[in-house]
């Protein structure tokens, strides 16, 4: 039996595969705005398992499956036997007998890998404590919609270099843009991921200096200071306020630079209301593009 085509992380996907996923996501969006697109996943079923809350990921996957002619089943891990101790491996084997593809939002990245190892259908990473690759496909799509090819551009990540930042690092290696991450020292990106990306030839700058990181950037990205897996809350509250993306920070970037945030956001913490609700913000496009990106990821896994 051929190994299923999993979508686990962007470091495991070749540059040209990512390019294809982005182009098809844009084509799905364009077709929907016209006469609608074909339904390549007719008769297919997606099972989604959530160990943590979700608004965008859940709804965009459900909408994407319906748009492609398939359907989605949403499962709360606590309401499954998984929540009572049935193993991930057995869950993978059983679900593989019912559905064509599985998405997992996991507390621990290792659980995603175990699911993929034991599933005979493709598995998609719907966010773990380590990464969030579906989000970055939508974000790259959004950047390119507004500014053209991302290759050669400068993206600045500001604040907590969390799971979303890790997927940006993977993407920098695959899509060839400069990525600068400005974080207070305890909240910098995992060294192994940065070393991997540099080894792939990616231009990655890690610094605690906000001003130098955002200077001349084409896009500034941030995320919540408190992720669903975060610890050290007092240290976060003490160190991260200096990294709020406000109008002063946006003014240091290239004129007209984009502002991105995967959402949910806390206005007045990682971003000021004036920036997220202002003219440079493309956060609603990012959210919308999750659905088109997901269609393309689903089709890539299943076709
Ligand atoms: N950005 C994102 O993944 O949002 P949800 O947690 O609402 O799915
Ligand atoms: N970093 C955030 C992203 C939520 C979509 C979290 O993991 O909670």
């Amino acid at each position: 039996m051929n190994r299923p085509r999993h979508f686990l992380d962007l470091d495991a996907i070749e540059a040209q595969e990512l390019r294809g996923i982005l182009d098809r996501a844009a084509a799905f969006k364009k077709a929907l705005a016209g006469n609608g697109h074909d339904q390549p996943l007719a008769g297919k079923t997606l099972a989604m398992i959530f160990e943590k809350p979700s608004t965008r990921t859940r709804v965009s996957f459900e909408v994407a499956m319906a748009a492609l002619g398939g359907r989605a089943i949403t499962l709360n891990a606590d309401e499954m036997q998984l929540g009572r101790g049935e193993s991930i491996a057995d869950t993978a084997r059983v679900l593989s007998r019912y559905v064509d593809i599985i998405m997992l939002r996991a507390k621990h990245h290792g659980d995603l890998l175990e699911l993929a190892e034991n599933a005979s259908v493709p598995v998609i990473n719907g966010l773990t404590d380590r990464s969030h690759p579906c989000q970055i496909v939508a974000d790259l799509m959004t950047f390119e919609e507004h500014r053209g090819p991302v290759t050669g551009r400068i993206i600045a990540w500001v604040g907590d270099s969390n799971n979303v930042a890790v997927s940006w690092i993977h993407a920098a290696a695959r899509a060839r843009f400069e990525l600068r991450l400005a974080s207070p020292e305890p909240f910098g990106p995992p060294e192994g991921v940065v070393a991997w990306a540099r080894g792939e030839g990616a231009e990655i700058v890690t610094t605690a200096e906000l001003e130098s990181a955002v200077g001349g950037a084409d896009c500034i990205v941030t995320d919540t200071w408190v992720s669903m897996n975060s610890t050290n809350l007092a240290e976060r509250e003490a160190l991260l306020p200096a990294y709020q993306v406000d109008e002063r920070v946006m003014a240091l970037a290239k004129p007209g630079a984009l502002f991105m945030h995967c959402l949910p956001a806390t206005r007045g913490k990682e971003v000021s209301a004036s920036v997220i609700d202002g003219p440079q913000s493309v956060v609603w496009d990012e959210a919308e593009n999750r659905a088109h990106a997901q269609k393309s990821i689903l089709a890539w896994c299943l076709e």
Side-chain angles (χ1 to χ4, degrees):
M1 190 187 69
N2 288 337
R3 197 175 138 75
R5 201 178 207 187
H6 300 307
F7 185 84
L8 299 180
D9 262 323
L10 296 178
D11 60 351
I13 291 180
E14 300 296 327
Q16 74 218 44
E17 300 280 349
L18 177 59
R19 184 69 261 159
I21 290 171
L22 288 168
D23 290 345
R24 193 152 185 214
F28 276 129
K29 183 169 183 175
K30 198 169 163 204
L32 192 68
N35 293 327
H37 47 65
D38 54 4
Q39 301 202 319
L41 302 191
K44 303 281 187 197
T45 303
L46 163 75
M48 296 190 280
I49 308 173
F50 288 93
E51 294 183 354
K52 306 199 253 197
S54 169
T55 298
R56 281 143 288 265
T57 303
R58 173 181 172 164
V59 177
S60 58
F61 265 111
E62 288 196 12
V63 166
M65 276 309 282
L68 297 180
R71 67 195 194 106
I73 299 172
T74 301
L75 301 159
N76 178 339
D78 288 338
E79 292 166 1
M80 299 170 70
Q81 297 291 8
L82 196 57
R84 291 181 58 244
E86 185 170 17
S87 72
I88 297 264
D90 285 355
T91 303
R93 293 177 188 118
V94 170
L95 289 181
S96 297
R97 298 291 179 105
Y98 296 133
V99 304
D100 303 284
I101 184 161
I102 303 169
M103 189 229 76
L104 174 64
R105 170 163 284 195
K107 288 184 180 158
H108 306 291
H109 193 77
D111 290 348
L112 176 80
L113 301 181
E114 197 179 336
L115 188 81
E117 194 56 41
N118 291 282
S120 54
V121 299
V123 170
I124 295 176
N125 177 354
L127 180 146
T128 69
D129 54 340
R130 173 187 152 92
S131 55
H132 196 7
C134 292
Q135 179 69 50
I136 283 20
V137 175
D139 291 355
L140 295 177
M141 178 185 173
T142 305
F143 182 92
E144 295 197 329
E145 222 171 57
H146 285 270
R147 293 286 180 270
V150 72
T151 300
R153 301 305 189 94
I154 302 171
I155 309 288
W157 175 274
V158 175
D160 181 21
S161 288
N162 59 14
N163 46 358
V164 179
V166 164
S167 289
W168 272 105
I169 296 170
H170 291 156
R174 292 298 176 244
R176 297 283 166 198
F177 51 86
E178 180 179 342
L179 180 64
R180 305 177 187 160
L181 300 110
S183 306
E185 191 267 319
F187 302 115
E191 280 174 18
V193 178
V194 174
W196 169 84
R198 286 181 177 146
E200 295 286 306
E203 208 171 331
I204 310 281
V205 176
T206 62
T207 177
E209 270 182 45
L210 174 58
E211 285 75 10
S212 64
V214 299
D218 294 283
C219 175
I220 297 181
V221 195
T222 191
D223 189 11
T224 179
W225 294 339
V226 183
S227 284
M228 292 180 274
N229 62 301
S230 288
T231 55
N232 306 339
L233 301 191
E235 199 176 17
R236 288 169 185 279
E237 283 296 329
L239 297 179
L240 285 161
Y243 293 78
Q244 183 187 88
V245 179
D246 57 14
E247 286 175 31
R248 181 190 72 88
V249 172
M250 289 303 295
L252 295 168
K254 202 173 265 181
L258 300 178
F259 171 76
M260 287 197 187
H261 190 311
C262 65
L263 306 176
T266 314
R267 288 169 176 76
K269 297 280 189 178
E270 72 271 11
V271 59
S272 67
S274 60
V275 168
I276 194 168
D277 299 319
Q280 288 164 270
S281 171
V282 291
V283 299
W284 314 119
D285 293 337
E286 287 177 84
E288 177 186 343
N289 285 338
R290 290 294 303 279
H292 305 296
Q294 248 89 272
K295 286 178 205 166
S296 189
I297 292 165
L298 289 159
W300 180 81
C301 289
L302 282 169
E303 284 179 353

